[in-house]
Amino acid sequence: MRPVRIISRLVDREPPRPGTGIRVSIFQGENPAGSPTAKAENLSRMEEVLALAAGYESQLCAFPECFNTGYALGREQCELLAEPYDGQSVQLARKLSKLHEVAVVLPYVERAESGALHDSVAVAADGELIANYRKTHLYGAAERVNFTAGEEIPPVVEVNGFPVGLLNCYECEFPPLYQSLVRRGARLIVGPTAADRHFTLQDGTPTLVPYPDATEHIIPAMAAVWRVFVAYANRRGWEVSERGQWEYRGNSGIWAPNGTAVVSAGPEERAVDSLLVADCVPCTVPPFSPEGDHLGDSRIESSDHLLPAV
């Protein structure tokens, strides 16, 4: 097993009791991409990481966007590597979730029965697939070439008796999506991502403006405004493909409902594969506002209906 750096912030030696909170692990690594061999290596890495997360009695372990294949793919690579929701990758996640008693958040490239390709996130718990979310808000021209946008709003599932909402990368920057998830009961929102610095655009030119670091302002603000834990699971290091090169920010972390970081990756974690482990326990977080309740006080009606994808 390749070394994995551990950073943790636990409330107690024992993980949270059902309904009181959840112990979360986030894997941040540099992984191969774009081939069947790379996919096999990534799934093997998932097995290693989940065994490690189980040793810390994690109740949920999340991986970055498109973990099984890599993110920096062209359409042909997506076609080659895509799997159905009951394919090899998700089946392995289901098996390991039961073996290690850890819910698994596995982002993967999905091929639907219609033949459409989706940037999807599967959640497996106790050997079952409890959610399969297809990213509804695609980022940029390349994602729109590779994937079809999903049509169902981000789900809320229960792990350890604790309601967990899902977002996928770019979606972590949309305040209404947080509002929708929290309104439906989410107390932790998990956002797998593949957020980089500069990268190559779909037309082959390099970006002149870097992708923003969402953890500087957006993620802490959303955690505080909606009074919810937010776990942001990014990649680190490099991916190189026929489309160019990507350097990922390595800025994974978990933010508390008052906007403070529970645990976050620093320079050392950007240099090596890391597992961030933290307890998300609402009763340990100080109040953010003496009387304010943004969700309850809002007089703007929200809708959970998606507009047509563009």
Side-chain angles (χ1 to χ4, degrees):
M1 176 177 178
R2 301 196 308 277
V4 176
R5 180 180 176 85
I6 307 295
I7 59 170
S8 66
R9 187 170 177 185
L10 308 181
V11 171
D12 199 348
R13 183 177 182 85
E14 299 298 321
R17 298 187 309 278
T20 67
I22 186 170
R23 181 166 293 176
V24 178
S25 286
I26 295 173
F27 178 65
Q28 176 174 285
E30 182 176 53
N31 300 101
S35 70
T37 300
K39 183 160 71 170
E41 290 183 25
N42 291 334
L43 293 179
S44 177
R45 190 58 160 164
M46 181 176 73
E47 293 191 62
E48 296 174 345
V49 169
L50 286 172
L52 189 58
Y56 287 86
E57 298 187 81
S58 301
Q59 294 156 322
L60 181 147
C61 184
F63 294 84
E65 184 179 16
C66 296
F67 177 76
N68 69 332
T69 60
Y71 173 79
L73 308 179
R75 175 70 188 199
E76 289 185 4
Q77 291 171 307
C78 288
E79 291 280 5
L80 172 67
L81 300 172
E83 300 178 20
Y85 72 88
D86 57 354
Q88 174 194 12
S89 298
V90 176
Q91 289 285 8
L92 180 60
R94 291 176 58 183
K95 173 187 172 182
L96 295 172
S97 74
K98 188 172 184 65
L99 175 65
H100 294 301
E101 298 182 335
V102 179
V104 182
V105 177
L106 173 63
Y108 71 110
V109 177
E110 180 191 1
R111 178 181 290 105
E113 290 184 2
S114 66
L117 302 185
H118 297 283
D119 184 345
S120 295
V121 181
V123 184
D126 195 28
E128 301 297 326
L129 179 63
I130 62 173
N132 187 64
Y133 171 59
R134 296 167 174 171
K135 188 175 186 178
T136 54
H137 295 68
L138 300 177
Y139 179 76
E143 283 197 4
R144 291 180 173 87
V145 168
N146 287 347
F147 304 118
T148 297
E151 297 296 331
E152 297 184 4
I153 59 174
V156 176
V157 298
E158 196 167 281
V159 178
N160 193 46
F162 199 72
V164 178
L166 283 182
L167 294 175
N168 190 344
C169 195
Y170 183 43
E171 297 178 333
C172 293
E173 302 171 25
F174 286 76
L177 294 179
Y178 289 85
Q179 182 176 6
S180 168
L181 289 167
V182 172
R183 189 164 59 80
R184 287 180 281 130
R187 305 193 75 184
L188 163 69
I189 294 174
V190 178
T193 190
D196 42 27
R197 300 175 189 272
H198 289 267
F199 59 97
T200 306
L201 297 169
Q202 178 64 24
D203 64 6
T205 61
T207 58
L208 301 181
V209 178
Y211 194 87
D213 184 349
T215 66
E216 288 186 350
H217 306 292
I218 298 171
I219 302 297
M222 292 301 95
V225 166
W226 301 116
R227 299 291 294 152
V228 64
F229 287 94
V230 180
Y232 191 71
N234 197 7
R235 298 175 176 275
R236 72 162 193 93
W238 294 88
E239 276 187 355
V240 179
S241 77
E242 60 190 22
R243 286 181 48 215
Q245 62 180 24
W246 279 250
E247 182 190 7
Y248 295 101
R249 284 191 171 274
N251 56 353
S252 301
I254 299 173
W255 282 263
N258 60 358
T260 61
V262 181
V263 64
S264 61
E268 292 179 335
E269 288 74 46
R270 295 185 184 104
V272 296
D273 287 4
S274 301
L275 189 70
L276 286 65
V277 187
D279 288 340
C280 299
V281 181
C283 70
T284 65
V285 181
F288 176 65
S289 173
E291 293 185 288
D293 174 2
H294 294 92
L295 186 69
D297 293 342
S298 175
R299 297 180 63 188
I300 298 175
E301 288 189 17
S302 62
S303 171
D304 287 331
H305 297 290
L306 295 170
L307 297 173
V310 294

